[in-house]
Amino acid sequence: MNKAKVSTEKCIANNSRVVSLLSQLEKINADSSALDTDNTRYVTAKILHLAQTQEKARKEITAKGSSGLDVILFTLENTKDLQTTLNILNILNELMSAGGGRRVSVLISKGGTQILLQLLLCVSKESPPNEEIMVILHSLLAKIGLKDKKFGVKARINGALTISLNLAKQNLQNPKLLLPCLQVLRVYCINSVNAVYLGKNGAVELLFKITGPFSKKNTSLMKVALDTLAALLKSKTNARKAVDRGYVQGLLTIYLDWHRHDTRHRHMVIRKAILQCLKSVTNIKLGRKAFIDANGMKILYNTSQECQAVRTLDPLVNTSSLIMRKCFPKNRLPLPTIKSAFQFQLPVIPTSGPVAQIYSMPPEVDDVVDESDDNEDTDTETEVEAETEDDRGQGFKNDDIETDISKLKPKQDLGRSLEDLKMYERFFPELFEDFQEFDLVSNEPKPGGHAGGPIIVPTAGEEQPERPIKLMARKSRNNSLSDECYKRPTFLDMPKKDLNSDNSGCLQSIQAGSGRSSSYYLNNDVVRELDRLSLQKSSTNSTCKNGCISNKDRSGILSHSCNKSSQNSSCGNNLFEKNSGHLGPLCCSGVVHEDDEDFSPVLGQVLPDTDNFPPLHDPDLYIEIVKNTKSVPEYSDVAYPDYFGHVPPFFKEPILERPYGVQRTKISQDIERMIHPNDVIDRIIYDVDNPSCPVPDESDLLKFNSKFESGNLRKVIQIRKNEYDLILNSDINSNHYHQWFYFEVSGMRTGVAYRFNIINCEKSNSQFNYGMQPLMYSVQEALASRPRWMRVGSDICYYKNHFSRSSVATGGQKGKSYYTLTFTVTFPHKDDVCYFAYHYPYTYSTLKMHLQKLESLHNPQQIYFRHDALCETLGGNGCPVVTITAMPESNYYEHVYQFRNRPYIFLTSRVHPGETNASWVMKGTLELLMGSSAAAQCLRESYIFKIVPMLNPDGVINGNHRCSLSGEDLNRQWQHPNVDLHPTIYHTKGLLQYLAAIKRTPLVYCDYHGHSRKKNVFMYGCSIKETVWHTNGSAASCDMAEENGYRTLPKVLSQIAPAFSMSSCSFVVEKSKESTARVVVWRELGVQRSYTMESTLCGCDQGKYKGLQIGTKELEEMGAKFCVGLLRLKRLNSPVEISLPPSLLDIENDLIESSCKVASPTTYVLEDDEPRFLEEVDYSAESNDDVDTDLPDNSGDFEPSVVEEEGFSDSEVTQTHLRKQCT
């Protein structure tokens, strides 16, 4: 019979031979009465031969739709023949070895795991069990177990754990069987319940018997044993057992032995496996203590230093660094309390929330380190939890996305009565002004006009022609709010000739734009001797009208008394007094001339070239404004950068390339502090908490100061000769939010690399890891007519350190670690005075100075400009609100009518004090709107701009990063602002509510912000469709009726603004953002185009500025481009378009696809406005942080416009937009 079968096979093509054999095997299995052991053995042997020699045969057995595996598994399950069993196990082993993950998955899907486990159970009952079967069976199970997510549960249920463990114990001297057993045990340990079970049954002790010192024999076995041990020690129960038995010391001894003998680095995988065991056991506090007691820090430090010279050993260095950082004892910050050093008593104490917790927290427990991570019950895992492991990692789901459709649909809800809102009428005089007393460009009525007719007060409300209302004179303005919003007609009833006159005015302004000068730029001619700088006005006899000092008065030193009182200070006289750091109330700190230490500041002082003062900057005016700025610490110094101003550099500043391994090097230097404590100076040289802190008078010691507006530096500790630890102050009435810094350094030497470590940062990552540099301002450079902030620093990185906060201080969460920002600076000048800042500073006094300069320089015949104080802040400072639009062409009623009927654009900025870039963007917006260009005139004639340029003056003044004096994030208070605690938000929302009440809801609302963890400039908006789309409700979202107008402005900006990125924009509404300005204005006030515009703190990774760090020039450009983008919206809101063809009206459909798509993923975060950090870096490899979950990176869904396709330049694009808007 066998000969007949052989002759038959020769007649069959090779590609079907295995199929024929499988058919024969299937027939044998089906005919149980004729079961032939020899025949089965023969067929399976032939199949094994083909599987070993032909890849085609292996493919046919596992091909889709083939029943080959089913037949083989059925035979294995039912055969009693030893040789047949071995044949089939070898067949499966060949298939799984060469087939990759797909074939393993097919085997699992056909029940192969269960059959093999049952076979293991049966074979184990034999005495003794067949060694060959056990070897092959365990090898197969090790391969399958990595793919079968329920393998651990199946193995435990079938009793396989005990079988494999006992088999390993009985065969310690038999490497052939021991190796596959250990491989399976390693897979078993993936399930935490299995790991605990194996640990209780002696697996830890077994593996420590196998591991040992350096040996060239059985290295594969050693590697597998260490990997299995590392998996076992991830269980805290097993880790505690290892600590109790002294295995930590043993692991360190073994590692050191392998390190010393493996001189050719051929066994790096074994050395890394030992480190993985140490990494697992040090996850518990007992393990970390045992590691330190065994001198593990020094051992790993020394070995890693020896490995750094060999690049291929980086995995060992990185893992060692992780272990050492984790084991570095957690310390509290060297502060009396992590609460702010400054106290401010609130008028109302909240009953709940973080501020209430601060007030009720006992001072002795606010920063105690809590490391309770060794609970006995942490290793329990139910069967249900094990089953649900399959679902982990299947996809990213954002639970923060709002899913309640009723909350997503905007419903105008003013929340305040009409009578209450009438208080804001005084901030809108433009709606009532008749301009009869103004000297306008033209007072002559148009031919055919109604010279004596009544002036109608227009709004954007519904037309009510039957009840017109006369404009009341300014002295008798008594119309009620309800009457105003009910009676005012819309602009739809404006005569056609009026519409033509409106457009002609805009066109004329463009035609005349080329001949206009830029009147708002001013070269400041103030020349003041710096050694006399104080907040006292100079004598009128020695100062001319523009602030210049006569030559004859420059030879003397004048001493002035200050108008502003200061309790603990007296007025200084000589600004350049040698080594002076504090020279009296509100004066700058001293600077010593670089070349001559005995240089006389009076006889030979080099004065700055005042022609280089930036536009709108007036140092004397700034000093006068600072006098009236109220701060909690009662600051008495003025920082030089704020006095001199900032002129952007003419050169580009590229994003810094991160040196390889810089973070690892810095961490090693930090670890040296613990290993060599005698090398640490640990001397306090600056301490806000202790004003009497003595400052050593040493020539090589840096001196620090932050006692000026927006300054933030709490404490400085000298660590080594040229290394300093810096601690930032918390936001007032808070115990966290450490990110913004702004401080002064003096007393430096040239050619010395100074390292600065800011050790209490809080965010888990930063753009400082991706090329961002801190900013430095040199006074000597400013004196040389180069007053500018510069990006500086090398060896910059940001990483988790060994300082920690308690669970009490973090609001009930487990104690959090702080992060270190470290950078190294070599100063270009000796004995300079330099300032460092997180980003380009922009103080409250700077804003007030700019607004006053804009007001004094504008042309009142062309520009309607109002600067009012919206309210008083908690700290007693005014919150400015600005109104900008074009003056009417005349005081004739048609022109006044058009003036009042312009739609509103409402802009806010700087709700978060540390986001200074938002103020620079706002500066660009204000300067463009106040300019004399054609675009500026067209914008003013198109809109009324209502602007609150600084929502959080107190936070800015006092150097906060995120909060106001109430200790709360004001951008989370928009739903229910408290008039006592959040006055600026309460009244800014009141302005918007008033506009909604009189039917003048803004066309656009935008809140300017800064972003610390993303590049480029982008927007967040609000969309029902896109929000529902993210909740997998795409069908329902596409059925919703929602205009796509919210996308127009971002898309326009992506075309005209080089720094803007549409792909980073998001229009998803999230639960955690429901009380932000963007969402509240959209939801409660019905503003469809409600945005947050985020500007990077770092730079751009696309467009014209790709690879460059962002500067004030680019930020101001973004503010100007934002306004230019608004011109595109004019077509959507202009009544002249009623007579245009429909194809010309639908600009938004030209820009926006009709399909229900999103431009970018949601921006899910836990505690701030920022999305998760998405960029790739070797950060996780060099720290013990868990990598943030990556979000799906959907690119923008828009296509390039015609303008982009034609390759227009930015200027051409702008001109094209202007021609379209104003013709």
Side-chain angles (χ1 to χ4, degrees), residues 528-534 549 553-560 572-577 583 587-588 591 600-603 605 607 640 643 783:
R528 175 179 293 274
E529 190 172 13
L530 294 180
D531 57 322
R532 301 179 184 178
L533 177 61
S534 73
I549 302 173
D553 292 317
R554 291 183 181 176
S555 61
I557 301 178
L558 299 181
S559 176
H560 302 289
N573 43 28
N574 186 359
L575 176 65
F576 290 91
E577 196 168 69
L583 299 173
C587 56
C588 297
V591 59
S600 171
V602 176
L603 298 178
Q605 176 62 48
L607 297 177
Y640 273 116
Y643 174 79
L783 292 174

Side-chain angles (χ1 to χ4, degrees), residues 425 428-438 452-459 467-480 484 487-489 888 890-900 994:
E425 185 177 282
F428 297 90
E430 63 271 13
L431 295 179
F432 309 100
E433 185 64 69
D434 57 11
F435 298 96
Q436 298 304 311
E437 300 177 6
F438 286 77
I455 299 177
I456 306 300
V457 181
T459 72
R467 297 181 63 184
I469 179 170
K470 295 184 179 180
L471 177 68
M472 306 299 293
R474 280 180 291 175
K475 295 181 180 180
S476 58
R477 192 181 302 152
N478 296 320
N479 6 0
S480 70
E484 294 286 349
K487 297 177 180 179
R488 294 173 189 167
S890 73
N891 54 18
Y892 183 57
Y893 85 97
E894 291 181 351
H895 296 145
V896 175
Y897 187 92
Q898 188 275 338
F899 170 88
R900 293 173 179 158
Y994 174 81

Side-chain angles (χ1 to χ4, degrees), residues 821-954:
L821 163 63
T822 181
F823 58 93
T824 301
V825 174
T826 302
F827 295 97
H829 304 290
K830 179 184 176 183
D831 292 326
D832 196 357
V833 175
C834 294
Y835 292 79
F836 289 97
Y838 180 63
H839 197 67
Y840 300 92
Y842 192 100
T843 65
Y844 171 74
S845 299
T846 299
L847 171 66
K848 293 190 70 175
M849 175 188 66
H850 285 164
L851 292 179
Q852 287 193 30
K853 296 294 290 184
L854 288 171
E855 186 171 12
S856 64
L857 294 174
H858 84 283
N859 184 348
Q861 288 189 333
Q862 291 184 343
I863 303 175
Y864 181 92
F865 179 91
R866 283 187 61 89
H867 173 201
D868 300 301
L870 175 62
C871 61
E872 188 175 273
T873 65
L874 288 175
N877 298 287
C879 179
V881 57
V882 175
T883 307
I884 302 174
T885 188
M887 293 292 285
E889 187 175 338
S890 73
N891 54 18
Y892 183 57
Y893 85 97
E894 291 181 351
H895 296 145
V896 175
Y897 187 92
Q898 188 275 338
F899 170 88
R900 293 173 179 158
N901 200 45
R902 296 167 186 163
Y904 274 93
I905 304 293
F906 205 109
L907 306 177
T908 57
S909 180
R910 203 69 183 280
V911 70
H912 295 143
E915 296 169 4
T916 57
N917 47 356
S919 283
W920 288 101
V921 175
M922 181 59 76
K923 180 175 182 285
T925 294
L926 289 169
E927 290 191 12
L928 177 70
L929 293 177
M930 295 296 290
S932 57
S933 66
Q937 182 64 20
C938 191
L939 279 163
R940 292 192 296 265
E941 292 178 355
S942 301
Y943 303 110
I944 299 174
F945 290 87
K946 193 69 68 173
I947 301 172
V948 184
M950 191 171 285
L951 284 168
N952 193 350
D954 289 340

